[in-house]
Short mmCIF file of all heavy atoms in Angstrom, two decimals:
data_model
loop_
_atom_site.label_atom_id
_atom_site.label_comp_id
_atom_site.label_asym_id
_atom_site.label_seq_id
_atom_site.Cartn_x
_atom_site.Cartn_y
_atom_site.Cartn_z
N MET A 1 0.85 -1.18 -0.01
CA MET A 1 0.00 0.00 -0.01
C MET A 1 0.90 1.25 0.00
O MET A 1 1.82 1.34 0.75
CB MET A 1 -0.85 -0.07 1.24
CG MET A 1 -1.52 1.27 1.55
SD MET A 1 -2.46 1.41 3.10
CE MET A 1 -2.74 -0.24 3.66
N SER A 2 0.57 2.17 -0.89
CA SER A 2 1.38 3.40 -0.89
C SER A 2 0.80 4.40 0.10
O SER A 2 -0.47 4.47 0.26
CB SER A 2 1.42 4.00 -2.30
OG SER A 2 0.16 4.48 -2.68
N VAL A 3 1.69 5.15 0.74
CA VAL A 3 1.26 6.15 1.72
C VAL A 3 1.82 7.49 1.21
O VAL A 3 2.99 7.60 0.89
CB VAL A 3 1.82 5.84 3.11
CG1 VAL A 3 1.42 6.94 4.12
CG2 VAL A 3 1.30 4.51 3.58
N THR A 4 0.98 8.46 1.11
CA THR A 4 1.37 9.81 0.69
C THR A 4 0.95 10.83 1.73
O THR A 4 -0.16 10.77 2.24
CB THR A 4 0.70 10.16 -0.67
OG1 THR A 4 0.99 9.18 -1.65
CG2 THR A 4 1.21 11.53 -1.19
N VAL A 5 1.89 11.71 2.06
CA VAL A 5 1.69 12.79 2.98
C VAL A 5 1.65 14.10 2.23
O VAL A 5 2.65 14.48 1.66
CB VAL A 5 2.69 12.85 4.13
CG1 VAL A 5 2.38 13.98 5.11
CG2 VAL A 5 2.79 11.51 4.85
N TYR A 6 0.49 14.78 2.20
CA TYR A 6 0.38 16.08 1.54
C TYR A 6 0.62 17.11 2.65
O TYR A 6 -0.12 17.14 3.64
CB TYR A 6 -1.03 16.23 0.92
CG TYR A 6 -1.21 15.28 -0.19
CD1 TYR A 6 -1.77 14.00 0.00
CD2 TYR A 6 -0.86 15.60 -1.49
CE1 TYR A 6 -1.97 13.09 -1.01
CE2 TYR A 6 -1.07 14.68 -2.53
CZ TYR A 6 -1.60 13.45 -2.26
OH TYR A 6 -1.78 12.53 -3.32
N SER A 7 1.68 17.90 2.48
CA SER A 7 2.08 18.83 3.57
C SER A 7 2.43 20.18 3.04
O SER A 7 2.35 20.45 1.85
CB SER A 7 3.26 18.20 4.32
OG SER A 7 4.39 18.20 3.50
N LYS A 8 2.90 21.03 3.96
CA LYS A 8 3.35 22.37 3.59
C LYS A 8 4.56 22.68 4.47
O LYS A 8 4.75 22.11 5.55
CB LYS A 8 2.23 23.39 3.74
CG LYS A 8 1.70 23.50 5.18
CD LYS A 8 0.54 24.46 5.22
CE LYS A 8 0.06 24.62 6.65
NZ LYS A 8 -1.01 25.56 6.78
N PRO A 9 5.36 23.66 4.08
CA PRO A 9 6.56 24.03 4.90
C PRO A 9 6.19 24.61 6.22
O PRO A 9 5.12 25.18 6.40
CB PRO A 9 7.27 25.10 4.02
CG PRO A 9 6.70 24.92 2.64
CD PRO A 9 5.29 24.40 2.79
N GLN A 10 7.12 24.51 7.20
CA GLN A 10 6.95 25.04 8.52
C GLN A 10 5.60 24.60 9.18
O GLN A 10 4.90 25.41 9.80
CB GLN A 10 7.02 26.60 8.54
CG GLN A 10 8.44 27.10 8.53
CD GLN A 10 9.01 27.22 7.12
OE1 GLN A 10 8.34 27.76 6.23
NE2 GLN A 10 10.15 26.71 6.91
N CYS A 11 5.29 23.31 9.04
CA CYS A 11 4.07 22.77 9.54
C CYS A 11 4.42 21.81 10.70
O CYS A 11 4.98 20.76 10.46
CB CYS A 11 3.37 22.07 8.42
SG CYS A 11 1.97 21.00 8.96
N VAL A 12 4.08 22.21 11.96
CA VAL A 12 4.41 21.44 13.12
C VAL A 12 3.74 20.05 13.08
O VAL A 12 4.34 19.04 13.39
CB VAL A 12 4.04 22.20 14.42
CG1 VAL A 12 4.21 21.35 15.65
CG2 VAL A 12 4.84 23.47 14.51
N GLN A 13 2.42 20.02 12.69
CA GLN A 13 1.75 18.78 12.68
C GLN A 13 2.33 17.89 11.54
O GLN A 13 2.31 16.62 11.70
CB GLN A 13 0.23 18.99 12.45
CG GLN A 13 -0.43 19.62 13.63
CD GLN A 13 -1.93 19.50 13.61
OE1 GLN A 13 -2.44 18.47 13.29
NE2 GLN A 13 -2.64 20.59 13.92
N CYS A 14 2.78 18.43 10.46
CA CYS A 14 3.40 17.66 9.38
C CYS A 14 4.68 17.00 9.92
O CYS A 14 4.87 15.80 9.72
CB CYS A 14 3.72 18.54 8.21
SG CYS A 14 2.31 19.41 7.46
N ASP A 15 5.50 17.79 10.61
CA ASP A 15 6.74 17.25 11.16
C ASP A 15 6.45 16.15 12.14
O ASP A 15 7.16 15.09 12.16
CB ASP A 15 7.57 18.36 11.79
CG ASP A 15 8.12 19.36 10.79
OD1 ASP A 15 8.16 19.05 9.59
OD2 ASP A 15 8.44 20.50 11.22
N ALA A 16 5.46 16.29 12.99
CA ALA A 16 5.08 15.28 13.96
C ALA A 16 4.64 14.00 13.24
O ALA A 16 4.95 12.87 13.66
CB ALA A 16 4.02 15.76 14.89
N THR A 17 3.93 14.18 12.14
CA THR A 17 3.45 13.03 11.36
C THR A 17 4.63 12.29 10.76
O THR A 17 4.71 11.04 10.80
CB THR A 17 2.44 13.50 10.29
OG1 THR A 17 1.29 14.05 10.94
CG2 THR A 17 2.00 12.35 9.41
N TYR A 18 5.60 13.01 10.18
CA TYR A 18 6.75 12.35 9.62
C TYR A 18 7.53 11.55 10.68
O TYR A 18 7.89 10.42 10.47
CB TYR A 18 7.78 13.39 9.05
CG TYR A 18 7.33 14.36 8.04
CD1 TYR A 18 7.84 15.60 7.97
CD2 TYR A 18 6.33 14.01 7.10
CE1 TYR A 18 7.48 16.51 7.03
CE2 TYR A 18 5.92 14.93 6.17
CZ TYR A 18 6.50 16.19 6.10
OH TYR A 18 6.10 17.05 5.20
N ARG A 19 7.70 12.15 11.85
CA ARG A 19 8.42 11.43 12.97
C ARG A 19 7.68 10.18 13.35
O ARG A 19 8.27 9.10 13.59
CB ARG A 19 8.57 12.34 14.18
CG ARG A 19 9.68 13.39 13.97
CD ARG A 19 10.07 14.07 15.27
NE ARG A 19 8.97 14.77 15.94
CZ ARG A 19 8.59 15.99 15.61
NH1 ARG A 19 9.23 16.73 14.70
NH2 ARG A 19 7.54 16.55 16.25
N ALA A 20 6.37 10.24 13.45
CA ALA A 20 5.57 9.10 13.89
C ALA A 20 5.60 7.99 12.81
O ALA A 20 5.74 6.81 13.14
CB ALA A 20 4.12 9.51 14.16
N LEU A 21 5.51 8.38 11.56
CA LEU A 21 5.60 7.36 10.46
C LEU A 21 6.98 6.71 10.41
O LEU A 21 7.10 5.53 10.28
CB LEU A 21 5.26 8.03 9.13
CG LEU A 21 3.83 8.47 8.89
CD1 LEU A 21 3.69 9.37 7.66
CD2 LEU A 21 2.92 7.24 8.80
N ASP A 22 8.03 7.55 10.59
CA ASP A 22 9.40 7.03 10.62
C ASP A 22 9.57 6.07 11.74
O ASP A 22 10.18 5.00 11.62
CB ASP A 22 10.43 8.17 10.75
CG ASP A 22 10.50 9.04 9.47
OD1 ASP A 22 10.02 8.62 8.41
OD2 ASP A 22 11.00 10.19 9.58
N LYS A 23 9.08 6.42 12.94
CA LYS A 23 9.23 5.56 14.12
C LYS A 23 8.56 4.24 13.92
O LYS A 23 9.06 3.21 14.42
CB LYS A 23 8.64 6.33 15.33
CG LYS A 23 8.89 5.60 16.64
CD LYS A 23 8.41 6.52 17.81
CE LYS A 23 8.66 5.79 19.14
NZ LYS A 23 8.19 6.58 20.24
N LYS A 24 7.40 4.21 13.20
CA LYS A 24 6.68 2.99 12.97
C LYS A 24 7.24 2.21 11.73
O LYS A 24 6.80 1.10 11.45
CB LYS A 24 5.20 3.27 12.68
CG LYS A 24 4.49 3.91 13.84
CD LYS A 24 4.13 2.88 14.92
CE LYS A 24 3.23 3.58 15.93
NZ LYS A 24 2.97 2.64 17.05
N GLY A 25 8.26 2.80 11.07
CA GLY A 25 8.89 2.15 9.90
C GLY A 25 7.98 2.12 8.67
O GLY A 25 8.12 1.28 7.81
N ILE A 26 7.10 3.12 8.55
CA ILE A 26 6.19 3.23 7.40
C ILE A 26 6.86 4.08 6.33
O ILE A 26 7.19 5.24 6.61
CB ILE A 26 4.83 3.81 7.81
CG1 ILE A 26 4.18 2.84 8.88
CG2 ILE A 26 3.95 3.99 6.61
CD1 ILE A 26 2.93 3.43 9.53
N GLU A 27 6.97 3.57 5.13
CA GLU A 27 7.51 4.33 4.03
C GLU A 27 6.41 5.20 3.44
O GLU A 27 5.25 4.80 3.37
CB GLU A 27 8.08 3.41 2.95
CG GLU A 27 9.28 2.63 3.36
CD GLU A 27 9.84 1.83 2.28
OE1 GLU A 27 9.56 2.09 1.11
OE2 GLU A 27 10.58 0.84 2.60
N TYR A 28 6.78 6.44 3.06
CA TYR A 28 5.78 7.36 2.53
C TYR A 28 6.43 8.33 1.56
O TYR A 28 7.67 8.52 1.55
CB TYR A 28 5.10 8.13 3.66
CG TYR A 28 6.07 8.89 4.56
CD1 TYR A 28 6.39 10.24 4.34
CD2 TYR A 28 6.68 8.23 5.65
CE1 TYR A 28 7.29 10.88 5.09
CE2 TYR A 28 7.60 8.93 6.44
CZ TYR A 28 7.90 10.23 6.18
OH TYR A 28 8.80 10.92 6.97
N THR A 29 5.60 8.96 0.75
CA THR A 29 6.03 10.00 -0.17
C THR A 29 5.44 11.32 0.34
O THR A 29 4.29 11.33 0.78
CB THR A 29 5.45 9.71 -1.58
OG1 THR A 29 5.90 8.39 -1.98
CG2 THR A 29 5.91 10.72 -2.58
N VAL A 30 6.22 12.39 0.24
CA VAL A 30 5.74 13.72 0.68
C VAL A 30 5.48 14.56 -0.58
O VAL A 30 6.34 14.62 -1.52
CB VAL A 30 6.78 14.39 1.56
CG1 VAL A 30 6.33 15.84 1.87
CG2 VAL A 30 7.02 13.60 2.82
N ILE A 31 4.31 15.23 -0.59
CA ILE A 31 4.01 16.17 -1.67
C ILE A 31 3.68 17.48 -1.01
O ILE A 31 2.82 17.58 -0.11
CB ILE A 31 2.82 15.68 -2.52
CG1 ILE A 31 3.19 14.33 -3.19
CG2 ILE A 31 2.38 16.72 -3.54
CD1 ILE A 31 2.12 13.76 -4.07
N ASP A 32 4.39 18.52 -1.48
CA ASP A 32 4.18 19.89 -0.92
C ASP A 32 3.01 20.53 -1.63
O ASP A 32 3.09 20.86 -2.80
CB ASP A 32 5.47 20.73 -1.09
CG ASP A 32 5.39 22.09 -0.47
OD1 ASP A 32 4.29 22.60 -0.18
OD2 ASP A 32 6.49 22.72 -0.34
N ILE A 33 1.92 20.75 -0.90
CA ILE A 33 0.73 21.32 -1.53
C ILE A 33 0.87 22.83 -1.86
O ILE A 33 0.04 23.35 -2.60
CB ILE A 33 -0.58 21.04 -0.69
CG1 ILE A 33 -0.42 21.64 0.71
CG2 ILE A 33 -0.91 19.60 -0.66
CD1 ILE A 33 -1.69 21.55 1.59
N THR A 34 1.88 23.49 -1.35
CA THR A 34 2.15 24.85 -1.68
C THR A 34 2.84 24.96 -3.05
O THR A 34 2.85 25.99 -3.67
CB THR A 34 2.95 25.63 -0.67
OG1 THR A 34 4.30 25.07 -0.63
CG2 THR A 34 2.34 25.53 0.71
N GLN A 35 3.38 23.82 -3.53
CA GLN A 35 4.11 23.80 -4.84
C GLN A 35 3.32 23.03 -5.89
O GLN A 35 3.72 23.03 -7.03
CB GLN A 35 5.49 23.15 -4.62
CG GLN A 35 6.39 23.87 -3.63
CD GLN A 35 6.76 25.24 -4.11
OE1 GLN A 35 7.08 25.47 -5.26
NE2 GLN A 35 6.66 26.21 -3.21
N ASP A 36 2.27 22.36 -5.50
CA ASP A 36 1.54 21.48 -6.45
C ASP A 36 0.04 21.77 -6.40
O ASP A 36 -0.65 21.21 -5.53
CB ASP A 36 1.82 20.00 -6.07
CG ASP A 36 1.25 19.01 -7.09
OD1 ASP A 36 0.28 19.36 -7.78
OD2 ASP A 36 1.78 17.92 -7.16
N PRO A 37 -0.42 22.68 -7.23
CA PRO A 37 -1.87 23.06 -7.21
C PRO A 37 -2.84 21.89 -7.40
O PRO A 37 -3.89 21.89 -6.79
CB PRO A 37 -1.97 24.07 -8.37
CG PRO A 37 -0.59 24.55 -8.60
CD PRO A 37 0.33 23.42 -8.26
N ALA A 38 -2.45 20.90 -8.23
CA ALA A 38 -3.34 19.76 -8.46
C ALA A 38 -3.48 18.93 -7.18
O ALA A 38 -4.57 18.47 -6.85
CB ALA A 38 -2.77 18.89 -9.59
N ALA A 39 -2.38 18.80 -6.46
CA ALA A 39 -2.42 18.04 -5.16
C ALA A 39 -3.29 18.79 -4.15
O ALA A 39 -4.09 18.18 -3.44
CB ALA A 39 -1.00 17.87 -4.64
N LEU A 40 -3.15 20.14 -4.11
CA LEU A 40 -3.96 20.94 -3.22
C LEU A 40 -5.45 20.77 -3.52
O LEU A 40 -6.27 20.56 -2.62
CB LEU A 40 -3.58 22.43 -3.30
CG LEU A 40 -4.42 23.36 -2.45
CD1 LEU A 40 -4.37 23.01 -0.95
CD2 LEU A 40 -3.97 24.79 -2.65
N GLU A 41 -5.79 20.76 -4.78
CA GLU A 41 -7.16 20.59 -5.22
C GLU A 41 -7.70 19.20 -4.83
O GLU A 41 -8.82 19.06 -4.35
CB GLU A 41 -7.31 20.83 -6.72
CG GLU A 41 -8.70 20.72 -7.23
CD GLU A 41 -9.65 21.78 -6.63
OE1 GLU A 41 -9.24 22.90 -6.27
OE2 GLU A 41 -10.82 21.46 -6.56
N MET A 42 -6.84 18.16 -4.99
CA MET A 42 -7.26 16.82 -4.68
C MET A 42 -7.54 16.69 -3.18
O MET A 42 -8.53 16.06 -2.75
CB MET A 42 -6.16 15.87 -5.12
CG MET A 42 -6.55 14.36 -5.05
SD MET A 42 -6.36 13.53 -3.46
CE MET A 42 -4.65 13.76 -3.11
N VAL A 43 -6.67 17.32 -2.36
CA VAL A 43 -6.85 17.29 -0.91
C VAL A 43 -8.16 17.98 -0.50
O VAL A 43 -8.97 17.47 0.30
CB VAL A 43 -5.64 17.98 -0.21
CG1 VAL A 43 -5.95 18.36 1.21
CG2 VAL A 43 -4.43 17.07 -0.27
N ARG A 44 -8.46 19.09 -1.16
CA ARG A 44 -9.74 19.79 -0.87
C ARG A 44 -10.94 18.96 -1.31
O ARG A 44 -11.96 18.95 -0.63
CB ARG A 44 -9.74 21.14 -1.61
CG ARG A 44 -8.83 22.15 -0.94
CD ARG A 44 -8.88 23.50 -1.63
NE ARG A 44 -8.12 24.44 -0.91
CZ ARG A 44 -7.61 25.58 -1.41
NH1 ARG A 44 -7.81 25.88 -2.68
NH2 ARG A 44 -6.92 26.43 -0.69
N GLU A 45 -10.78 18.25 -2.46
CA GLU A 45 -11.90 17.39 -2.92
C GLU A 45 -12.16 16.24 -1.94
O GLU A 45 -13.29 15.78 -1.85
CB GLU A 45 -11.58 16.85 -4.33
CG GLU A 45 -11.74 17.88 -5.38
CD GLU A 45 -11.31 17.39 -6.78
OE1 GLU A 45 -10.98 16.22 -6.93
OE2 GLU A 45 -11.26 18.22 -7.69
N LEU A 46 -11.13 15.79 -1.23
CA LEU A 46 -11.34 14.79 -0.18
C LEU A 46 -12.01 15.35 1.09
O LEU A 46 -12.41 14.66 1.99
CB LEU A 46 -10.00 14.16 0.24
CG LEU A 46 -9.30 13.27 -0.76
CD1 LEU A 46 -7.94 12.87 -0.25
CD2 LEU A 46 -10.19 12.03 -1.08
N GLY A 47 -12.13 16.71 1.13
CA GLY A 47 -12.83 17.38 2.21
C GLY A 47 -11.91 17.87 3.33
O GLY A 47 -12.38 18.19 4.41
N HIS A 48 -10.59 17.91 3.06
CA HIS A 48 -9.66 18.32 4.13
C HIS A 48 -9.24 19.79 3.89
O HIS A 48 -9.04 20.22 2.79
CB HIS A 48 -8.44 17.46 4.11
CG HIS A 48 -8.73 16.01 4.37
ND1 HIS A 48 -9.23 15.57 5.56
CD2 HIS A 48 -8.66 14.89 3.58
CE1 HIS A 48 -9.44 14.27 5.48
NE2 HIS A 48 -9.12 13.85 4.32
N LEU A 49 -9.10 20.47 4.97
CA LEU A 49 -8.72 21.89 4.98
C LEU A 49 -7.44 22.16 5.78
O LEU A 49 -7.02 23.33 5.89
CB LEU A 49 -9.87 22.77 5.55
CG LEU A 49 -11.17 22.66 4.79
CD1 LEU A 49 -12.27 23.44 5.52
CD2 LEU A 49 -11.04 23.16 3.36
N GLN A 50 -6.85 21.14 6.34
CA GLN A 50 -5.69 21.35 7.22
C GLN A 50 -4.60 20.33 6.84
O GLN A 50 -4.91 19.20 6.47
CB GLN A 50 -6.13 21.17 8.70
CG GLN A 50 -5.27 20.36 9.55
CD GLN A 50 -5.87 20.17 10.95
OE1 GLN A 50 -6.98 20.54 11.26
NE2 GLN A 50 -5.11 19.51 11.78
N ALA A 51 -3.34 20.74 6.87
CA ALA A 51 -2.24 19.85 6.62
C ALA A 51 -1.72 19.30 7.92
O ALA A 51 -1.94 19.88 8.99
CB ALA A 51 -1.08 20.63 5.92
N PRO A 52 -1.13 18.12 7.87
CA PRO A 52 -0.95 17.29 6.71
C PRO A 52 -2.20 16.45 6.37
O PRO A 52 -3.04 16.29 7.27
CB PRO A 52 0.17 16.34 7.11
CG PRO A 52 -0.02 16.13 8.60
CD PRO A 52 -0.53 17.50 9.05
N VAL A 53 -2.30 16.00 5.18
CA VAL A 53 -3.31 15.00 4.81
C VAL A 53 -2.58 13.77 4.45
O VAL A 53 -1.67 13.78 3.62
CB VAL A 53 -4.21 15.49 3.64
CG1 VAL A 53 -5.08 14.41 3.14
CG2 VAL A 53 -4.98 16.69 4.06
N VAL A 54 -2.88 12.67 5.11
CA VAL A 54 -2.26 11.38 4.85
C VAL A 54 -3.25 10.51 4.08
O VAL A 54 -4.39 10.39 4.50
CB VAL A 54 -1.86 10.64 6.16
CG1 VAL A 54 -1.20 9.30 5.87
CG2 VAL A 54 -0.90 11.55 6.98
N VAL A 55 -2.77 9.99 2.93
CA VAL A 55 -3.59 9.13 2.13
C VAL A 55 -2.90 7.76 2.09
O VAL A 55 -1.77 7.65 1.64
CB VAL A 55 -3.85 9.65 0.70
CG1 VAL A 55 -4.63 8.67 -0.14
CG2 VAL A 55 -4.51 11.03 0.74
N ALA A 56 -3.58 6.71 2.59
CA ALA A 56 -3.05 5.37 2.62
C ALA A 56 -4.10 4.43 2.06
O ALA A 56 -5.07 4.12 2.76
CB ALA A 56 -2.70 4.98 4.05
N GLY A 57 -3.95 4.04 0.81
CA GLY A 57 -4.99 3.23 0.16
C GLY A 57 -6.29 4.03 0.10
O GLY A 57 -6.32 5.16 -0.40
N ASP A 58 -7.36 3.42 0.56
CA ASP A 58 -8.65 4.06 0.56
C ASP A 58 -8.88 4.90 1.79
O ASP A 58 -9.89 5.63 1.86
CB ASP A 58 -9.80 3.02 0.51
CG ASP A 58 -9.77 2.25 -0.81
OD1 ASP A 58 -9.30 2.82 -1.81
OD2 ASP A 58 -10.26 1.11 -0.83
N ASN A 59 -7.94 4.94 2.73
CA ASN A 59 -8.09 5.64 3.99
C ASN A 59 -7.36 7.00 3.88
O ASN A 59 -6.32 7.06 3.28
CB ASN A 59 -7.51 4.81 5.14
CG ASN A 59 -7.90 5.32 6.51
OD1 ASN A 59 -8.79 6.11 6.66
ND2 ASN A 59 -7.12 4.83 7.50
N HIS A 60 -7.94 8.05 4.50
CA HIS A 60 -7.25 9.33 4.52
C HIS A 60 -7.70 10.12 5.70
O HIS A 60 -8.84 9.90 6.20
CB HIS A 60 -7.46 10.13 3.21
CG HIS A 60 -8.90 10.29 2.84
ND1 HIS A 60 -9.69 11.31 3.30
CD2 HIS A 60 -9.68 9.56 2.03
CE1 HIS A 60 -10.91 11.20 2.81
NE2 HIS A 60 -10.95 10.14 1.99
N TRP A 61 -6.81 10.97 6.24
CA TRP A 61 -7.13 11.81 7.39
C TRP A 61 -6.29 13.06 7.31
O TRP A 61 -5.27 13.08 6.61
CB TRP A 61 -6.96 11.06 8.69
CG TRP A 61 -5.54 10.74 9.01
CD1 TRP A 61 -4.63 11.55 9.68
CD2 TRP A 61 -4.82 9.55 8.76
NE1 TRP A 61 -3.45 10.93 9.82
CE2 TRP A 61 -3.53 9.69 9.20
CE3 TRP A 61 -5.17 8.37 8.10
CZ2 TRP A 61 -2.56 8.70 9.11
CZ3 TRP A 61 -4.22 7.36 7.98
CH2 TRP A 61 -2.92 7.55 8.49
N SER A 62 -6.63 14.07 8.07
CA SER A 62 -5.84 15.30 8.18
C SER A 62 -5.40 15.51 9.60
O SER A 62 -5.99 15.05 10.54
CB SER A 62 -6.62 16.52 7.63
OG SER A 62 -7.75 16.80 8.45
N GLY A 63 -4.31 16.29 9.72
CA GLY A 63 -3.76 16.63 11.05
C GLY A 63 -2.86 15.49 11.53
O GLY A 63 -2.70 14.47 10.90
N PHE A 64 -2.26 15.72 12.72
CA PHE A 64 -1.41 14.73 13.34
C PHE A 64 -2.35 13.76 14.09
O PHE A 64 -2.98 14.13 15.07
CB PHE A 64 -0.40 15.37 14.27
CG PHE A 64 0.43 14.40 15.04
CD1 PHE A 64 1.11 13.40 14.38
CD2 PHE A 64 0.54 14.47 16.41
CE1 PHE A 64 1.85 12.47 15.06
CE2 PHE A 64 1.30 13.56 17.14
CZ PHE A 64 1.99 12.57 16.46
N ARG A 65 -2.37 12.50 13.63
CA ARG A 65 -3.28 11.52 14.20
C ARG A 65 -2.54 10.24 14.59
O ARG A 65 -2.48 9.29 13.82
CB ARG A 65 -4.38 11.16 13.18
CG ARG A 65 -5.34 12.29 12.78
CD ARG A 65 -6.34 12.61 13.86
NE ARG A 65 -7.08 11.42 14.28
CZ ARG A 65 -8.23 10.99 13.67
NH1 ARG A 65 -8.70 11.66 12.61
NH2 ARG A 65 -8.82 9.93 14.10
N PRO A 66 -1.96 10.20 15.78
CA PRO A 66 -1.22 9.02 16.21
C PRO A 66 -2.08 7.78 16.21
O PRO A 66 -1.63 6.69 15.93
CB PRO A 66 -0.80 9.40 17.64
CG PRO A 66 -0.92 10.85 17.76
CD PRO A 66 -1.94 11.29 16.77
N ASP A 67 -3.35 7.91 16.44
CA ASP A 67 -4.27 6.76 16.46
C ASP A 67 -4.31 6.16 15.04
O ASP A 67 -4.26 4.93 14.87
CB ASP A 67 -5.69 7.14 16.97
CG ASP A 67 -6.34 8.26 16.13
OD1 ASP A 67 -5.61 9.19 15.65
OD2 ASP A 67 -7.55 8.24 16.01
N GLN A 68 -4.46 7.02 14.05
CA GLN A 68 -4.53 6.52 12.65
C GLN A 68 -3.19 5.97 12.20
O GLN A 68 -3.14 4.94 11.46
CB GLN A 68 -4.97 7.67 11.70
CG GLN A 68 -6.38 8.15 11.93
CD GLN A 68 -7.40 7.10 11.44
OE1 GLN A 68 -7.11 6.13 10.80
NE2 GLN A 68 -8.67 7.38 11.78
N ILE A 69 -2.12 6.57 12.63
CA ILE A 69 -0.77 6.05 12.26
C ILE A 69 -0.55 4.66 12.87
O ILE A 69 -0.01 3.78 12.22
CB ILE A 69 0.32 7.06 12.70
CG1 ILE A 69 0.17 8.35 11.83
CG2 ILE A 69 1.73 6.48 12.55
CD1 ILE A 69 0.98 9.50 12.29
N SER A 70 -1.01 4.45 14.10
CA SER A 70 -0.88 3.16 14.76
C SER A 70 -1.75 2.10 13.98
O SER A 70 -1.27 0.98 13.76
CB SER A 70 -1.35 3.20 16.19
OG SER A 70 -0.43 3.98 16.95
N LYS A 71 -2.91 2.46 13.56
CA LYS A 71 -3.75 1.55 12.81
C LYS A 71 -3.09 1.24 11.49
O LYS A 71 -3.08 0.07 11.03
CB LYS A 71 -5.11 2.22 12.50
CG LYS A 71 -6.14 2.19 13.58
CD LYS A 71 -7.41 2.73 13.17
CE LYS A 71 -8.33 3.11 14.29
NZ LYS A 71 -9.59 3.79 13.79
N LEU A 72 -2.54 2.23 10.84
CA LEU A 72 -1.80 2.05 9.61
C LEU A 72 -0.63 1.13 9.76
O LEU A 72 -0.42 0.20 8.96
CB LEU A 72 -1.34 3.42 9.04
CG LEU A 72 -0.55 3.33 7.75
CD1 LEU A 72 -1.37 2.71 6.63
CD2 LEU A 72 -0.17 4.79 7.33
N ALA A 73 0.13 1.30 10.85
CA ALA A 73 1.29 0.45 11.12
C ALA A 73 0.88 -0.97 11.30
O ALA A 73 1.51 -1.92 10.82
CB ALA A 73 2.06 0.98 12.33
N ALA A 74 -0.24 -1.24 12.01
CA ALA A 74 -0.72 -2.56 12.16
C ALA A 74 -1.15 -3.20 10.88
O ALA A 74 -0.90 -4.40 10.64
CB ALA A 74 -1.92 -2.56 13.16
N THR A 75 -1.74 -2.40 9.99
CA THR A 75 -2.14 -2.90 8.69
C THR A 75 -0.92 -3.25 7.82
O THR A 75 -0.86 -4.30 7.15
CB THR A 75 -2.99 -1.84 7.92
OG1 THR A 75 -4.10 -1.55 8.74
CG2 THR A 75 -3.48 -2.35 6.59
N VAL A 76 0.09 -2.35 7.83
CA VAL A 76 1.30 -2.51 7.02
C VAL A 76 2.05 -3.80 7.50
O VAL A 76 2.46 -4.61 6.66
CB VAL A 76 2.18 -1.30 7.10
CG1 VAL A 76 3.55 -1.55 6.49
CG2 VAL A 76 1.54 -0.13 6.38
N THR A 77 2.20 -4.00 8.82
CA THR A 77 2.96 -5.12 9.33
C THR A 77 2.15 -6.39 9.07
O THR A 77 2.75 -7.48 8.86
CB THR A 77 3.34 -4.97 10.80
OG1 THR A 77 2.13 -4.70 11.56
CG2 THR A 77 4.32 -3.85 11.03
N ALA A 78 0.83 -6.35 9.08
CA ALA A 78 0.03 -7.53 8.87
C ALA A 78 0.12 -8.02 7.43
O ALA A 78 0.02 -9.21 7.14
CB ALA A 78 -1.46 -7.25 9.19
N HIS A 79 0.41 -7.07 6.49
CA HIS A 79 0.52 -7.43 5.10
C HIS A 79 1.98 -7.63 4.68
O HIS A 79 2.24 -7.85 3.45
CB HIS A 79 -0.14 -6.32 4.23
CG HIS A 79 -1.63 -6.38 4.37
ND1 HIS A 79 -2.26 -5.55 5.25
CD2 HIS A 79 -2.59 -7.08 3.73
CE1 HIS A 79 -3.60 -5.77 5.17
NE2 HIS A 79 -3.81 -6.71 4.28
N ALA A 80 2.92 -7.48 5.54
CA ALA A 80 4.36 -7.59 5.18
C ALA A 80 4.75 -9.05 5.09
O ALA A 80 4.14 -9.93 5.57
CB ALA A 80 5.21 -6.91 6.23
#
Protein backbone atom coordinates (compact mmCIF):
# COMPACT_ATOMS: atom_id res chain seq x y z
CA MET A 1 0.00 0.00 0.00
CA SER A 2 1.38 3.39 -0.90
CA VAL A 3 1.27 6.16 1.69
CA THR A 4 1.36 9.82 0.67
CA VAL A 5 1.64 12.79 3.01
CA TYR A 6 0.38 16.07 1.55
CA SER A 7 2.07 18.80 3.56
CA LYS A 8 3.36 22.36 3.60
CA PRO A 9 6.56 24.03 4.86
CA GLN A 10 6.94 25.04 8.53
CA CYS A 11 4.07 22.76 9.56
CA VAL A 12 4.42 21.43 13.12
CA GLN A 13 1.73 18.77 12.64
CA CYS A 14 3.39 17.67 9.39
CA ASP A 15 6.76 17.25 11.15
CA ALA A 16 5.09 15.27 13.96
CA THR A 17 3.45 13.03 11.37
CA TYR A 18 6.78 12.36 9.61
CA ARG A 19 8.41 11.45 12.94
CA ALA A 20 5.58 9.09 13.88
CA LEU A 21 5.59 7.38 10.47
CA ASP A 22 9.39 7.03 10.61
CA LYS A 23 9.23 5.58 14.12
CA LYS A 24 6.70 2.97 12.95
CA GLY A 25 8.87 2.14 9.91
CA ILE A 26 6.21 3.21 7.41
CA GLU A 27 7.51 4.34 4.02
CA TYR A 28 5.79 7.36 2.54
CA THR A 29 6.01 10.00 -0.18
CA VAL A 30 5.73 13.71 0.65
CA ILE A 31 3.99 16.16 -1.67
CA ASP A 32 4.18 19.90 -0.90
CA ILE A 33 0.70 21.31 -1.53
CA THR A 34 2.13 24.86 -1.71
CA GLN A 35 4.09 23.80 -4.81
CA ASP A 36 1.54 21.47 -6.44
CA PRO A 37 -1.85 23.08 -7.21
CA ALA A 38 -3.34 19.78 -8.45
CA ALA A 39 -2.42 18.06 -5.17
CA LEU A 40 -3.97 20.93 -3.18
CA GLU A 41 -7.17 20.61 -5.21
CA MET A 42 -7.26 16.83 -4.67
CA VAL A 43 -6.87 17.29 -0.90
CA ARG A 44 -9.73 19.80 -0.90
CA GLU A 45 -11.89 17.39 -2.92
CA LEU A 46 -11.33 14.79 -0.17
CA GLY A 47 -12.82 17.38 2.21
CA HIS A 48 -9.65 18.33 4.10
CA LEU A 49 -8.72 21.90 4.98
CA GLN A 50 -5.69 21.33 7.23
CA ALA A 51 -2.24 19.86 6.62
CA PRO A 52 -0.95 17.28 6.70
CA VAL A 53 -3.31 15.02 4.81
CA VAL A 54 -2.25 11.38 4.85
CA VAL A 55 -3.61 9.10 2.13
CA ALA A 56 -3.04 5.37 2.62
CA GLY A 57 -4.97 3.24 0.16
CA ASP A 58 -8.66 4.07 0.57
CA ASN A 59 -8.09 5.65 3.99
CA HIS A 60 -7.26 9.33 4.52
CA TRP A 61 -7.14 11.83 7.36
CA SER A 62 -5.84 15.30 8.16
CA GLY A 63 -3.76 16.60 11.03
CA PHE A 64 -1.42 14.71 13.34
CA ARG A 65 -3.30 11.51 14.19
CA PRO A 66 -1.22 9.05 16.22
CA ASP A 67 -4.27 6.76 16.45
CA GLN A 68 -4.54 6.53 12.67
CA ILE A 69 -0.78 6.07 12.27
CA SER A 70 -0.90 3.15 14.75
CA LYS A 71 -3.77 1.56 12.79
CA LEU A 72 -1.82 2.04 9.58
CA ALA A 73 1.30 0.46 11.11
CA ALA A 74 -0.75 -2.56 12.19
CA THR A 75 -2.13 -2.92 8.67
CA VAL A 76 1.29 -2.55 7.04
CA THR A 77 2.95 -5.13 9.31
CA ALA A 78 0.01 -7.53 8.86
CA HIS A 79 0.53 -7.44 5.09
CA ALA A 80 4.35 -7.59 5.19
